[in-house]
Amino acid sequence: MPHPTRRSVLSFGAAVTALAMLPSQSRAAAIQPGLIYAAGQKFDKSFNEGAFAGAERFRTATGIAVAEYLPSTPVQFDQAAASLLRRGVTDLVAIGFYYATPLARLAPAHPGVRFTLIDAVAEGPNIRCVTFKEQEGAFLVGVLAALASKTGTVGFIGALDIPLIRKFIAGFEQGARHARGDIKVLVNFVGTTPAAFNDPATGAEVARSQFQRGADVVFAGAGVSNFGIFAAANEGRRLAIGVDSNQNYLYPGTILTSMLKRVDLAVESSFEAARQGKWTAGTVALGLADSAVDYALDENNRDLVTTEMIEAVEAARRGIVAGRIPVADGS
């Protein structure tokens, strides 16, 4: 289960409000929620596990069970959706950028079903899309990476080169250079297909390559492949940065921080909006101002993050939220 920071817990209500501010419709009837995970592992200590946490909070609060399907590959989306729809699902949340095209194709055939897509945009009168301003959260961890680096070189390792990952890269680079104008940023990818999100062995190889080129802090944005990156950092006495959920606890003393991306909030809020009759189609992008992205500070990394580093990253947060520090998304 994800480990939220104190700040993320206290500001949870504000983020729920942000998701609920689309125009409401008439009160909905009883719902049957369903969730299609991203391809890979359900308990990945990252993206999927965050989605599971949101669904579990909804179930605990309402007593309404959430039907689930875990595809082994993205091409199983149609099979997953068909299975859940046969079970009477009225509100279907899909997690993953690669579901945008098949969801846009499927939704018109089921006009009575409310579809929510997380991490991508698809058009349709019964589709709600929740995206994140990953670049803003990545800016914050970029500041921390640059200030923690002793070599003056930091790295980013993404699963594959796609627009979504480019948002992380753009924010990370801007944050690192905001903190240290002379910082060097290495960028590499695990693979070229979605399978790269589930390849820890290659992730470890890419991390070792960056360490050999001088990086002493690497931001891992590669799903389950992060496990290999973290292990390589631990073995090489380097630092790593986690993503999506709080991954600090996986290697205390090795993981500098984690960039939080509140997919749990997106899942829970979508189901709750449907239950309250407030669900609407449309697109919302959530960032620092919504407490939907952040960095993690807890007992597992507190010794790695100095007071000066916290002051710098919090100043950056205030500047971004106030609009004084613009953060490009790499597009």
Side-chain angles (χ1 to χ4, degrees), residues 36 56 147 162 203 236 244 277 282:
I36 299 178
E56 278 294 285
L147 294 179
I162 54 174
D244 294 337

Side-chain angles (χ1 to χ4, degrees), residues 236-260:
R237 298 181 182 276
R238 307 303 206 280
L239 295 174
I241 296 173
V243 77
D244 294 337
S245 297
N246 184 349
Q247 299 181 317
N248 296 354
Y249 70 99
L250 295 176
Y251 286 93
T254 291
I255 300 183
L256 175 65
T257 187
S258 297
M259 195 207 98
L260 304 178

Side-chain angles (χ1 to χ4, degrees), residues 6-262:
R6 181 175 64 88
R7 182 190 303 108
S8 67
V9 171
L10 292 175
S11 58
F12 181 81
V16 171
T17 300
L19 273 176
M21 287 185 67
L22 295 174
S24 64
Q25 60 188 34
S26 59
R27 179 163 298 277
I31 69 167
Q32 172 56 63
L35 175 62
I36 299 178
Y37 291 102
Q41 299 178 23
K42 178 177 177 179
F43 297 107
D44 58 2
K45 300 177 175 62
S46 184
F47 198 61
N48 273 347
E49 195 158 336
F52 170 76
E56 278 294 285
R57 278 204 306 269
F58 176 80
R59 181 192 62 78
T60 299
T62 65
I64 302 173
V66 179
E68 302 176 332
Y69 197 107
L70 177 65
S72 57
T73 69
V75 298
Q76 288 185 325
F77 173 81
D78 288 342
Q79 175 183 333
S83 174
L84 293 179
L85 291 172
R86 282 196 300 270
R87 293 161 66 179
V89 163
T90 60
D91 292 86
L92 181 58
V93 174
I95 311 294
F97 69 93
Y98 35 63
Y99 295 145
T101 297
L103 177 58
R105 184 176 60 243
L106 173 72
H110 302 275
V113 176
R114 293 173 288 262
F115 294 93
T116 297
L117 176 63
I118 296 177
D119 241 14
V121 175
E123 300 296 331
N126 57 335
I127 301 175
R128 177 184 188 133
C129 301
V130 181
T131 62
F132 295 87
K133 299 176 183 177
E134 290 90 353
Q135 67 274 14
E136 294 184 352
F139 189 105
L140 299 188
V141 300
V143 169
L144 293 176
L147 294 179
S149 176
K150 294 180 172 62
T151 65
T153 299
V154 299
F156 177 88
I157 301 174
L160 69 164
D161 191 356
I162 54 174
L164 174 63
I165 300 297
R166 283 286 167 186
K167 292 167 71 177
F168 285 95
I169 296 169
F172 183 67
E173 289 181 333
Q174 290 168 84
R177 289 176 180 138
H178 176 82
R180 285 176 65 176
D182 62 344
I183 198 78
K184 181 178 180 182
V185 182
L186 307 178
V187 176
N188 292 101
F189 302 98
V190 175
T192 58
T193 71
F197 285 99
N198 294 282
D199 189 353
T202 302
E205 292 175 8
V206 176
R208 294 187 190 104
S209 174
Q210 288 201 347
F211 298 150
Q212 290 169 2
R213 288 184 285 155
D216 60 349
V217 186
V218 295
F219 182 13
V224 174
S225 298
N226 279 13
F227 298 163
I229 298 168
F230 297 156
N234 185 61
E235 292 165 4
R237 298 181 182 276
R238 307 303 206 280
L239 295 174
I241 296 173
V243 77
D244 294 337
S245 297
N246 184 349
Q247 299 181 317
N248 296 354
Y249 70 99
L250 295 176
Y251 286 93
T254 291
I255 300 183
L256 175 65
T257 187
S258 297
M259 195 207 98
L260 304 178
K261 178 174 169 180
R262 299 297 303 277

